Amino acid sequence: GIDINKKKVEQTEGEAAKKFYSLFSTAIERRMRMDVNFGTSLSGGLDSSAIASFIAKDQQIRLKTFSARFK
């Protein structure tokens, strides 16, 4: 099991994946509740790519992204 805050949690990998997806999607959807255009920054990491991918799956949203590059 996983020890979170001294509380043992027993779950399968599949259950953990479902819970993560639920929390991840809820967090993104809450931030998308707006009536103005929005975008996201792509850092090249897994987290920003996952967020952009999740938003882009909704064909009604035209996602704008930006990234910065330094020498």
Short mmCIF file of all heavy atoms in Angstrom, two decimals:
data_model
loop_
_atom_site.label_atom_id
_atom_site.label_comp_id
_atom_site.label_asym_id
_atom_site.label_seq_id
_atom_site.Cartn_x
_atom_site.Cartn_y
_atom_site.Cartn_z
N GLY A 1 0.81 -1.20 0.00
CA GLY A 1 0.00 0.00 0.00
C GLY A 1 0.85 1.26 0.00
O GLY A 1 2.06 1.21 0.16
N ILE A 2 0.23 2.35 -0.19
CA ILE A 2 0.88 3.66 -0.22
C ILE A 2 0.59 4.36 1.10
O ILE A 2 -0.55 4.37 1.57
CB ILE A 2 0.36 4.51 -1.39
CG1 ILE A 2 0.61 3.78 -2.71
CG2 ILE A 2 1.01 5.88 -1.40
CD1 ILE A 2 -0.10 4.41 -3.88
N ASP A 3 1.62 4.94 1.70
CA ASP A 3 1.46 5.64 2.97
C ASP A 3 1.32 7.14 2.70
O ASP A 3 2.28 7.80 2.35
CB ASP A 3 2.66 5.37 3.87
CG ASP A 3 2.50 5.97 5.25
OD1 ASP A 3 1.40 6.43 5.58
OD2 ASP A 3 3.49 5.98 6.00
N ILE A 4 0.11 7.66 2.80
CA ILE A 4 -0.15 9.08 2.57
C ILE A 4 -0.62 9.67 3.89
O ILE A 4 -1.65 9.28 4.43
CB ILE A 4 -1.24 9.29 1.49
CG1 ILE A 4 -0.80 8.68 0.18
CG2 ILE A 4 -1.55 10.77 1.33
CD1 ILE A 4 -1.85 8.72 -0.90
N ASN A 5 0.16 10.63 4.40
CA ASN A 5 -0.18 11.26 5.68
C ASN A 5 -0.45 10.23 6.78
O ASN A 5 -1.43 10.31 7.50
CB ASN A 5 -1.37 12.20 5.52
CG ASN A 5 -1.10 13.32 4.56
OD1 ASN A 5 0.02 13.82 4.48
ND2 ASN A 5 -2.10 13.70 3.80
N LYS A 6 0.41 9.22 6.84
CA LYS A 6 0.33 8.17 7.86
C LYS A 6 -0.96 7.36 7.76
O LYS A 6 -1.43 6.78 8.71
CB LYS A 6 0.50 8.75 9.25
CG LYS A 6 1.83 9.43 9.43
CD LYS A 6 1.99 9.95 10.82
CE LYS A 6 3.35 10.66 10.89
NZ LYS A 6 3.65 11.17 12.19
N LYS A 7 -1.55 7.34 6.58
CA LYS A 7 -2.77 6.58 6.35
C LYS A 7 -2.50 5.65 5.17
O LYS A 7 -2.17 6.11 4.07
CB LYS A 7 -3.90 7.56 6.01
CG LYS A 7 -5.24 6.94 5.84
CD LYS A 7 -6.26 8.06 5.67
CE LYS A 7 -7.55 7.58 5.11
NZ LYS A 7 -8.47 8.68 4.87
N LYS A 8 -2.57 4.37 5.40
CA LYS A 8 -2.26 3.41 4.36
C LYS A 8 -3.41 3.29 3.36
O LYS A 8 -4.57 3.14 3.76
CB LYS A 8 -1.95 2.05 4.97
CG LYS A 8 -1.20 1.14 4.06
CD LYS A 8 -0.69 -0.05 4.83
CE LYS A 8 0.28 -0.80 3.95
NZ LYS A 8 0.87 -1.93 4.63
N VAL A 9 -3.08 3.40 2.10
CA VAL A 9 -4.08 3.33 1.04
C VAL A 9 -3.80 2.09 0.19
O VAL A 9 -2.72 1.94 -0.34
CB VAL A 9 -4.03 4.59 0.14
CG1 VAL A 9 -5.03 4.49 -0.99
CG2 VAL A 9 -4.25 5.84 0.96
N GLU A 10 -4.76 1.21 0.12
CA GLU A 10 -4.62 0.00 -0.69
C GLU A 10 -5.45 0.18 -1.97
O GLU A 10 -6.65 0.39 -1.90
CB GLU A 10 -5.13 -1.22 0.08
CG GLU A 10 -4.34 -1.56 1.31
CD GLU A 10 -2.96 -2.11 1.01
OE1 GLU A 10 -2.74 -2.63 -0.11
OE2 GLU A 10 -2.10 -2.03 1.89
N GLN A 11 -4.76 0.14 -3.11
CA GLN A 11 -5.47 0.20 -4.38
C GLN A 11 -4.60 -0.40 -5.47
O GLN A 11 -3.39 -0.45 -5.36
CB GLN A 11 -5.87 1.63 -4.72
CG GLN A 11 -4.74 2.61 -4.84
CD GLN A 11 -5.24 4.02 -5.05
OE1 GLN A 11 -6.39 4.24 -5.40
NE2 GLN A 11 -4.40 5.00 -4.83
N THR A 12 -5.25 -0.82 -6.53
CA THR A 12 -4.51 -1.38 -7.65
C THR A 12 -3.95 -0.25 -8.50
O THR A 12 -4.34 0.92 -8.34
CB THR A 12 -5.44 -2.25 -8.52
OG1 THR A 12 -6.42 -1.40 -9.15
CG2 THR A 12 -6.12 -3.35 -7.71
N GLU A 13 -3.07 -0.61 -9.40
CA GLU A 13 -2.51 0.39 -10.31
C GLU A 13 -3.62 1.00 -11.18
O GLU A 13 -3.64 2.21 -11.42
CB GLU A 13 -1.45 -0.26 -11.20
CG GLU A 13 -0.71 0.72 -12.08
CD GLU A 13 0.40 0.06 -12.88
OE1 GLU A 13 0.98 -0.93 -12.42
OE2 GLU A 13 0.68 0.56 -13.98
N GLY A 14 -4.55 0.19 -11.61
CA GLY A 14 -5.67 0.68 -12.41
C GLY A 14 -6.55 1.65 -11.65
O GLY A 14 -6.99 2.67 -12.19
N GLU A 15 -6.81 1.34 -10.39
CA GLU A 15 -7.61 2.24 -9.54
C GLU A 15 -6.88 3.57 -9.33
O GLU A 15 -7.50 4.63 -9.37
CB GLU A 15 -7.89 1.59 -8.20
CG GLU A 15 -8.85 0.42 -8.27
CD GLU A 15 -8.91 -0.38 -6.98
OE1 GLU A 15 -7.94 -0.37 -6.20
OE2 GLU A 15 -9.96 -1.01 -6.75
N ALA A 16 -5.57 3.48 -9.12
CA ALA A 16 -4.78 4.70 -8.94
C ALA A 16 -4.79 5.55 -10.21
O ALA A 16 -4.90 6.77 -10.15
CB ALA A 16 -3.35 4.35 -8.54
N ALA A 17 -4.70 4.90 -11.37
CA ALA A 17 -4.72 5.61 -12.64
C ALA A 17 -6.06 6.31 -12.86
O ALA A 17 -6.11 7.46 -13.30
CB ALA A 17 -4.43 4.65 -13.80
N LYS A 18 -7.15 5.63 -12.55
CA LYS A 18 -8.48 6.22 -12.67
C LYS A 18 -8.64 7.42 -11.74
O LYS A 18 -9.21 8.45 -12.12
CB LYS A 18 -9.57 5.20 -12.38
CG LYS A 18 -9.78 4.21 -13.49
CD LYS A 18 -10.88 3.22 -13.13
CE LYS A 18 -11.02 2.16 -14.20
NZ LYS A 18 -12.04 1.17 -13.87
N LYS A 19 -8.15 7.29 -10.52
CA LYS A 19 -8.24 8.39 -9.55
C LYS A 19 -7.42 9.59 -10.03
O LYS A 19 -7.88 10.73 -9.96
CB LYS A 19 -7.75 7.92 -8.18
CG LYS A 19 -7.81 8.98 -7.11
CD LYS A 19 -9.23 9.35 -6.77
CE LYS A 19 -9.28 10.32 -5.62
NZ LYS A 19 -10.62 10.77 -5.32
N PHE A 20 -6.20 9.32 -10.53
CA PHE A 20 -5.37 10.40 -11.04
C PHE A 20 -6.07 11.11 -12.19
O PHE A 20 -6.12 12.34 -12.24
CB PHE A 20 -4.00 9.89 -11.52
CG PHE A 20 -3.21 10.94 -12.23
CD1 PHE A 20 -2.50 11.88 -11.51
CD2 PHE A 20 -3.22 11.03 -13.62
CE1 PHE A 20 -1.80 12.89 -12.16
CE2 PHE A 20 -2.53 12.03 -14.27
CZ PHE A 20 -1.81 12.96 -13.54
N TYR A 21 -6.61 10.35 -13.15
CA TYR A 21 -7.28 10.95 -14.30
C TYR A 21 -8.46 11.80 -13.85
O TYR A 21 -8.68 12.89 -14.37
CB TYR A 21 -7.74 9.88 -15.30
CG TYR A 21 -8.34 10.49 -16.53
CD1 TYR A 21 -7.52 10.95 -17.56
CD2 TYR A 21 -9.71 10.64 -16.67
CE1 TYR A 21 -8.05 11.53 -18.69
CE2 TYR A 21 -10.25 11.23 -17.79
CZ TYR A 21 -9.42 11.67 -18.80
OH TYR A 21 -9.96 12.26 -19.92
N SER A 22 -9.21 11.31 -12.88
CA SER A 22 -10.35 12.07 -12.36
C SER A 22 -9.90 13.40 -11.76
O SER A 22 -10.47 14.46 -12.05
CB SER A 22 -11.08 11.24 -11.32
OG SER A 22 -12.09 11.99 -10.70
N LEU A 23 -8.88 13.36 -10.92
CA LEU A 23 -8.37 14.59 -10.29
C LEU A 23 -7.76 15.54 -11.33
O LEU A 23 -7.98 16.74 -11.31
CB LEU A 23 -7.32 14.25 -9.23
CG LEU A 23 -7.84 13.51 -8.00
CD1 LEU A 23 -6.68 13.00 -7.16
CD2 LEU A 23 -8.75 14.41 -7.18
N PHE A 24 -6.99 14.98 -12.26
CA PHE A 24 -6.33 15.75 -13.31
C PHE A 24 -7.36 16.46 -14.20
O PHE A 24 -7.28 17.66 -14.44
CB PHE A 24 -5.46 14.81 -14.15
CG PHE A 24 -4.69 15.46 -15.25
CD1 PHE A 24 -3.55 16.20 -14.98
CD2 PHE A 24 -5.07 15.29 -16.58
CE1 PHE A 24 -2.82 16.79 -15.99
CE2 PHE A 24 -4.35 15.87 -17.60
CZ PHE A 24 -3.21 16.61 -17.31
N SER A 25 -8.35 15.71 -14.66
CA SER A 25 -9.36 16.29 -15.55
C SER A 25 -10.22 17.33 -14.82
O SER A 25 -10.54 18.38 -15.39
CB SER A 25 -10.24 15.21 -16.17
OG SER A 25 -10.92 14.48 -15.17
N THR A 26 -10.56 17.08 -13.57
CA THR A 26 -11.34 18.05 -12.80
C THR A 26 -10.57 19.35 -12.63
O THR A 26 -11.13 20.44 -12.79
CB THR A 26 -11.72 17.47 -11.43
OG1 THR A 26 -12.53 16.32 -11.63
CG2 THR A 26 -12.48 18.48 -10.58
N ALA A 27 -9.28 19.24 -12.32
CA ALA A 27 -8.45 20.44 -12.13
C ALA A 27 -8.40 21.28 -13.40
O ALA A 27 -8.53 22.50 -13.36
CB ALA A 27 -7.05 20.05 -11.69
N ILE A 28 -8.22 20.63 -14.54
CA ILE A 28 -8.14 21.36 -15.81
C ILE A 28 -9.50 21.96 -16.17
O ILE A 28 -9.59 23.12 -16.55
CB ILE A 28 -7.64 20.44 -16.94
CG1 ILE A 28 -6.19 20.04 -16.65
CG2 ILE A 28 -7.74 21.15 -18.28
CD1 ILE A 28 -5.66 18.98 -17.58
N GLU A 29 -10.55 21.16 -16.05
CA GLU A 29 -11.89 21.65 -16.41
C GLU A 29 -12.31 22.85 -15.57
O GLU A 29 -12.94 23.77 -16.07
CB GLU A 29 -12.90 20.51 -16.29
CG GLU A 29 -12.72 19.49 -17.41
CD GLU A 29 -13.46 18.18 -17.16
OE1 GLU A 29 -14.04 18.01 -16.07
OE2 GLU A 29 -13.44 17.33 -18.06
N ARG A 30 -11.94 22.87 -14.32
CA ARG A 30 -12.27 24.01 -13.46
C ARG A 30 -11.57 25.28 -13.94
O ARG A 30 -12.12 26.37 -13.84
CB ARG A 30 -11.89 23.72 -12.02
CG ARG A 30 -12.83 22.77 -11.35
CD ARG A 30 -12.45 22.53 -9.92
NE ARG A 30 -13.41 21.61 -9.31
CZ ARG A 30 -13.22 21.02 -8.15
NH1 ARG A 30 -12.12 21.24 -7.46
NH2 ARG A 30 -14.13 20.22 -7.67
N ARG A 31 -10.37 25.14 -14.43
CA ARG A 31 -9.63 26.31 -14.91
C ARG A 31 -10.07 26.75 -16.30
O ARG A 31 -9.77 27.85 -16.73
CB ARG A 31 -8.14 26.02 -14.87
CG ARG A 31 -7.63 26.10 -13.45
CD ARG A 31 -6.39 25.27 -13.21
NE ARG A 31 -6.00 25.33 -11.81
CZ ARG A 31 -6.51 24.59 -10.84
NH1 ARG A 31 -7.47 23.73 -11.10
NH2 ARG A 31 -6.08 24.69 -9.60
N MET A 32 -10.82 25.90 -17.00
CA MET A 32 -11.30 26.24 -18.33
C MET A 32 -12.66 26.92 -18.30
O MET A 32 -13.19 27.29 -19.34
CB MET A 32 -11.37 24.97 -19.19
CG MET A 32 -10.01 24.42 -19.53
SD MET A 32 -10.06 22.81 -20.35
CE MET A 32 -11.18 23.10 -21.70
N ARG A 33 -13.23 27.13 -17.15
CA ARG A 33 -14.54 27.78 -17.04
C ARG A 33 -14.38 29.28 -17.17
O ARG A 33 -14.23 30.01 -16.19
CB ARG A 33 -15.17 27.46 -15.68
CG ARG A 33 -15.56 26.04 -15.52
CD ARG A 33 -16.21 25.84 -14.17
NE ARG A 33 -16.34 24.42 -13.88
CZ ARG A 33 -16.50 23.94 -12.68
NH1 ARG A 33 -16.54 24.75 -11.63
NH2 ARG A 33 -16.60 22.65 -12.49
N MET A 34 -14.38 29.75 -18.38
CA MET A 34 -14.23 31.18 -18.61
C MET A 34 -14.84 31.52 -19.96
O MET A 34 -15.04 30.66 -20.80
CB MET A 34 -12.76 31.58 -18.56
CG MET A 34 -11.90 30.88 -19.58
SD MET A 34 -10.16 31.25 -19.43
CE MET A 34 -9.72 30.24 -18.05
N ASP A 35 -15.13 32.79 -20.13
CA ASP A 35 -15.73 33.21 -21.39
C ASP A 35 -14.75 34.04 -22.23
O ASP A 35 -15.16 34.82 -23.08
CB ASP A 35 -17.01 33.99 -21.13
CG ASP A 35 -16.79 35.21 -20.25
OD1 ASP A 35 -15.67 35.40 -19.77
OD2 ASP A 35 -17.76 35.96 -20.05
N VAL A 36 -13.47 33.87 -21.99
CA VAL A 36 -12.44 34.55 -22.77
C VAL A 36 -11.48 33.50 -23.32
O VAL A 36 -11.45 32.36 -22.88
CB VAL A 36 -11.64 35.56 -21.90
CG1 VAL A 36 -12.56 36.67 -21.41
CG2 VAL A 36 -10.97 34.87 -20.74
N ASN A 37 -10.72 33.90 -24.34
CA ASN A 37 -9.72 33.00 -24.89
C ASN A 37 -8.66 32.69 -23.85
O ASN A 37 -8.37 33.52 -22.99
CB ASN A 37 -9.06 33.62 -26.12
CG ASN A 37 -10.02 33.76 -27.27
OD1 ASN A 37 -10.96 32.99 -27.38
ND2 ASN A 37 -9.78 34.72 -28.12
N PHE A 38 -8.09 31.54 -23.94
CA PHE A 38 -7.01 31.19 -23.04
C PHE A 38 -5.99 30.34 -23.79
O PHE A 38 -6.24 29.87 -24.88
CB PHE A 38 -7.52 30.46 -21.79
CG PHE A 38 -8.15 29.13 -22.07
CD1 PHE A 38 -7.40 27.98 -22.00
CD2 PHE A 38 -9.49 29.04 -22.40
CE1 PHE A 38 -7.98 26.75 -22.26
CE2 PHE A 38 -10.08 27.81 -22.64
CZ PHE A 38 -9.32 26.67 -22.58
N GLY A 39 -4.86 30.17 -23.18
CA GLY A 39 -3.81 29.36 -23.78
C GLY A 39 -2.98 28.73 -22.69
O GLY A 39 -3.28 28.84 -21.51
N THR A 40 -1.94 28.05 -23.10
CA THR A 40 -1.05 27.40 -22.15
C THR A 40 0.38 27.50 -22.61
O THR A 40 0.65 27.62 -23.81
CB THR A 40 -1.47 25.92 -21.94
OG1 THR A 40 -0.67 25.36 -20.90
CG2 THR A 40 -1.30 25.10 -23.18
N SER A 41 1.28 27.46 -21.67
CA SER A 41 2.70 27.48 -21.97
C SER A 41 3.21 26.05 -22.08
O SER A 41 2.89 25.21 -21.25
CB SER A 41 3.46 28.21 -20.85
OG SER A 41 4.84 28.10 -21.04
N LEU A 42 3.97 25.77 -23.12
CA LEU A 42 4.56 24.45 -23.28
C LEU A 42 6.03 24.53 -22.88
O LEU A 42 6.81 25.23 -23.52
CB LEU A 42 4.44 23.97 -24.73
CG LEU A 42 3.02 23.68 -25.20
CD1 LEU A 42 3.00 23.38 -26.69
CD2 LEU A 42 2.44 22.52 -24.42
N SER A 43 6.38 23.82 -21.85
CA SER A 43 7.77 23.84 -21.37
C SER A 43 8.60 22.74 -22.00
O SER A 43 9.82 22.74 -21.87
CB SER A 43 7.78 23.67 -19.84
OG SER A 43 7.32 22.38 -19.51
N GLY A 44 7.95 21.81 -22.65
CA GLY A 44 8.65 20.67 -23.19
C GLY A 44 8.62 19.48 -22.25
O GLY A 44 9.10 18.40 -22.57
N GLY A 45 8.03 19.66 -21.09
CA GLY A 45 7.92 18.59 -20.11
C GLY A 45 6.63 17.81 -20.26
O GLY A 45 5.74 18.18 -21.02
N LEU A 46 6.55 16.75 -19.51
CA LEU A 46 5.37 15.88 -19.57
C LEU A 46 4.12 16.57 -19.04
O LEU A 46 3.03 16.41 -19.59
CB LEU A 46 5.65 14.60 -18.77
CG LEU A 46 4.54 13.56 -18.75
CD1 LEU A 46 4.23 13.09 -20.16
CD2 LEU A 46 4.94 12.39 -17.89
N ASP A 47 4.25 17.36 -17.99
CA ASP A 47 3.06 17.97 -17.39
C ASP A 47 2.39 18.97 -18.32
O ASP A 47 1.19 18.91 -18.54
CB ASP A 47 3.39 18.62 -16.04
CG ASP A 47 4.54 19.61 -16.11
OD1 ASP A 47 5.29 19.62 -17.11
OD2 ASP A 47 4.70 20.38 -15.16
N SER A 48 3.14 19.88 -18.93
CA SER A 48 2.51 20.86 -19.81
C SER A 48 1.99 20.20 -21.08
O SER A 48 0.94 20.59 -21.60
CB SER A 48 3.49 21.99 -20.16
OG SER A 48 4.60 21.51 -20.90
N SER A 49 2.67 19.18 -21.56
CA SER A 49 2.19 18.45 -22.75
C SER A 49 0.90 17.71 -22.44
O SER A 49 -0.01 17.67 -23.27
CB SER A 49 3.25 17.46 -23.22
OG SER A 49 4.43 18.12 -23.58
N ALA A 50 0.80 17.12 -21.25
CA ALA A 50 -0.41 16.40 -20.86
C ALA A 50 -1.60 17.35 -20.75
O ALA A 50 -2.70 17.03 -21.18
CB ALA A 50 -0.18 15.67 -19.54
N ILE A 51 -1.36 18.53 -20.18
CA ILE A 51 -2.43 19.52 -20.05
C ILE A 51 -2.89 19.98 -21.43
O ILE A 51 -4.09 20.02 -21.71
CB ILE A 51 -1.96 20.71 -19.19
CG1 ILE A 51 -1.76 20.26 -17.75
CG2 ILE A 51 -2.95 21.87 -19.28
CD1 ILE A 51 -1.03 21.25 -16.87
N ALA A 52 -1.96 20.32 -22.31
CA ALA A 52 -2.32 20.76 -23.67
C ALA A 52 -3.05 19.66 -24.42
O ALA A 52 -4.05 19.92 -25.11
CB ALA A 52 -1.08 21.19 -24.43
N SER A 53 -2.61 18.44 -24.28
CA SER A 53 -3.25 17.31 -24.95
C SER A 53 -4.68 17.11 -24.45
O SER A 53 -5.60 16.88 -25.24
CB SER A 53 -2.43 16.04 -24.72
OG SER A 53 -3.07 14.93 -25.27
N PHE A 54 -4.88 17.22 -23.15
CA PHE A 54 -6.20 17.05 -22.57
C PHE A 54 -7.15 18.12 -23.10
O PHE A 54 -8.28 17.84 -23.47
CB PHE A 54 -6.14 17.12 -21.04
CG PHE A 54 -7.47 16.89 -20.38
CD1 PHE A 54 -7.89 15.62 -20.07
CD2 PHE A 54 -8.30 17.96 -20.08
CE1 PHE A 54 -9.12 15.40 -19.48
CE2 PHE A 54 -9.53 17.76 -19.49
CZ PHE A 54 -9.94 16.47 -19.19
N ILE A 55 -6.69 19.37 -23.14
CA ILE A 55 -7.53 20.48 -23.62
C ILE A 55 -7.81 20.31 -25.11
O ILE A 55 -8.94 20.51 -25.57
CB ILE A 55 -6.87 21.83 -23.33
CG1 ILE A 55 -6.77 22.05 -21.82
CG2 ILE A 55 -7.65 22.97 -23.99
CD1 ILE A 55 -5.91 23.24 -21.42
N ALA A 56 -6.79 19.94 -25.87
CA ALA A 56 -6.92 19.84 -27.33
C ALA A 56 -7.86 18.72 -27.78
O ALA A 56 -8.36 18.77 -28.90
CB ALA A 56 -5.55 19.65 -27.96
N LYS A 57 -8.12 17.74 -26.92
CA LYS A 57 -9.02 16.65 -27.32
C LYS A 57 -10.45 17.16 -27.52
O LYS A 57 -11.23 16.53 -28.21
CB LYS A 57 -8.98 15.50 -26.33
CG LYS A 57 -9.72 15.75 -25.06
CD LYS A 57 -9.69 14.55 -24.16
CE LYS A 57 -10.55 14.87 -22.95
NZ LYS A 57 -10.85 13.73 -22.16
N ASP A 58 -10.77 18.30 -26.92
CA ASP A 58 -12.09 18.92 -27.11
C ASP A 58 -12.04 19.72 -28.41
O ASP A 58 -11.40 20.76 -28.47
CB ASP A 58 -12.41 19.83 -25.93
CG ASP A 58 -13.80 20.44 -26.02
OD1 ASP A 58 -14.39 20.47 -27.12
OD2 ASP A 58 -14.29 20.90 -24.98
N GLN A 59 -12.70 19.23 -29.42
CA GLN A 59 -12.64 19.85 -30.73
C GLN A 59 -13.32 21.23 -30.79
O GLN A 59 -13.16 21.96 -31.75
CB GLN A 59 -13.27 18.93 -31.77
CG GLN A 59 -12.56 17.60 -31.89
CD GLN A 59 -11.11 17.75 -32.31
OE1 GLN A 59 -10.79 18.45 -33.25
NE2 GLN A 59 -10.21 17.09 -31.61
N GLN A 60 -14.07 21.60 -29.76
CA GLN A 60 -14.73 22.90 -29.72
C GLN A 60 -13.79 24.02 -29.29
O GLN A 60 -14.09 25.19 -29.43
CB GLN A 60 -15.93 22.86 -28.75
CG GLN A 60 -16.95 21.81 -29.08
CD GLN A 60 -17.62 22.05 -30.42
OE1 GLN A 60 -17.90 23.17 -30.78
NE2 GLN A 60 -17.86 20.99 -31.15
N ILE A 61 -12.65 23.65 -28.72
CA ILE A 61 -11.72 24.64 -28.18
C ILE A 61 -10.53 24.79 -29.11
O ILE A 61 -9.91 23.80 -29.51
CB ILE A 61 -11.23 24.22 -26.78
CG1 ILE A 61 -12.40 24.19 -25.81
CG2 ILE A 61 -10.13 25.15 -26.28
CD1 ILE A 61 -12.07 23.63 -24.46
N ARG A 62 -10.23 26.00 -29.45
CA ARG A 62 -9.04 26.28 -30.25
C ARG A 62 -7.95 26.72 -29.27
O ARG A 62 -7.93 27.87 -28.82
CB ARG A 62 -9.33 27.36 -31.27
CG ARG A 62 -8.18 27.54 -32.20
CD ARG A 62 -8.58 28.27 -33.42
NE ARG A 62 -7.37 28.44 -34.20
CZ ARG A 62 -7.24 29.26 -35.17
NH1 ARG A 62 -8.25 30.02 -35.52
NH2 ARG A 62 -6.12 29.36 -35.82
N LEU A 63 -7.09 25.80 -28.93
CA LEU A 63 -6.07 26.05 -27.92
C LEU A 63 -4.89 26.81 -28.52
O LEU A 63 -4.37 26.45 -29.56
CB LEU A 63 -5.57 24.71 -27.35
CG LEU A 63 -4.49 24.80 -26.28
CD1 LEU A 63 -5.04 25.52 -25.05
CD2 LEU A 63 -4.00 23.41 -25.93
N LYS A 64 -4.48 27.85 -27.82
CA LYS A 64 -3.30 28.60 -28.21
C LYS A 64 -2.19 28.26 -27.23
O LYS A 64 -2.40 28.23 -26.03
CB LYS A 64 -3.58 30.10 -28.18
CG LYS A 64 -4.61 30.50 -29.21
CD LYS A 64 -4.83 31.97 -29.22
CE LYS A 64 -5.89 32.29 -30.27
NZ LYS A 64 -6.08 33.71 -30.43
N THR A 65 -1.02 27.96 -27.76
CA THR A 65 0.11 27.61 -26.91
C THR A 65 1.28 28.53 -27.22
O THR A 65 1.35 29.13 -28.29
CB THR A 65 0.56 26.16 -27.13
OG1 THR A 65 0.97 26.01 -28.48
CG2 THR A 65 -0.55 25.18 -26.82
N PHE A 66 2.17 28.64 -26.27
CA PHE A 66 3.40 29.39 -26.50
C PHE A 66 4.52 28.73 -25.71
O PHE A 66 4.30 27.97 -24.78
CB PHE A 66 3.25 30.86 -26.10
CG PHE A 66 2.99 31.09 -24.64
CD1 PHE A 66 4.05 31.37 -23.78
CD2 PHE A 66 1.71 31.04 -24.12
CE1 PHE A 66 3.82 31.58 -22.43
CE2 PHE A 66 1.48 31.25 -22.77
CZ PHE A 66 2.53 31.52 -21.93
N SER A 67 5.72 29.00 -26.15
CA SER A 67 6.90 28.48 -25.44
C SER A 67 8.02 29.51 -25.60
O SER A 67 7.99 30.34 -26.48
CB SER A 67 7.30 27.11 -25.95
OG SER A 67 7.59 27.17 -27.32
N ALA A 68 9.00 29.40 -24.75
CA ALA A 68 10.15 30.32 -24.80
C ALA A 68 11.39 29.48 -25.06
O ALA A 68 11.48 28.33 -24.67
CB ALA A 68 10.29 31.09 -23.49
N ARG A 69 12.34 30.12 -25.70
CA ARG A 69 13.60 29.43 -26.00
C ARG A 69 14.75 30.35 -25.68
O ARG A 69 14.71 31.54 -25.99
CB ARG A 69 13.59 29.08 -27.48
CG ARG A 69 14.61 28.09 -27.88
CD ARG A 69 14.43 27.77 -29.32
NE ARG A 69 15.64 28.24 -29.96
CZ ARG A 69 15.86 28.22 -31.23
NH1 ARG A 69 14.92 27.81 -32.05
NH2 ARG A 69 17.00 28.63 -31.74
N PHE A 70 15.75 29.83 -25.04
CA PHE A 70 16.92 30.61 -24.66
C PHE A 70 18.18 29.90 -25.14
O PHE A 70 18.23 28.68 -25.19
CB PHE A 70 16.98 30.79 -23.14
CG PHE A 70 15.77 31.46 -22.57
CD1 PHE A 70 14.73 30.71 -22.05
CD2 PHE A 70 15.67 32.85 -22.56
CE1 PHE A 70 13.61 31.32 -21.52
CE2 PHE A 70 14.55 33.47 -22.04
CZ PHE A 70 13.53 32.69 -21.52
N LYS A 71 19.19 30.67 -25.45
CA LYS A 71 20.49 30.06 -25.84
C LYS A 71 21.20 29.55 -24.63
O LYS A 71 21.12 30.03 -23.57
CB LYS A 71 21.35 31.09 -26.55
CG LYS A 71 20.90 31.33 -27.96
CD LYS A 71 21.91 32.17 -28.66
CE LYS A 71 21.48 32.34 -30.09
NZ LYS A 71 22.49 32.92 -30.90
#
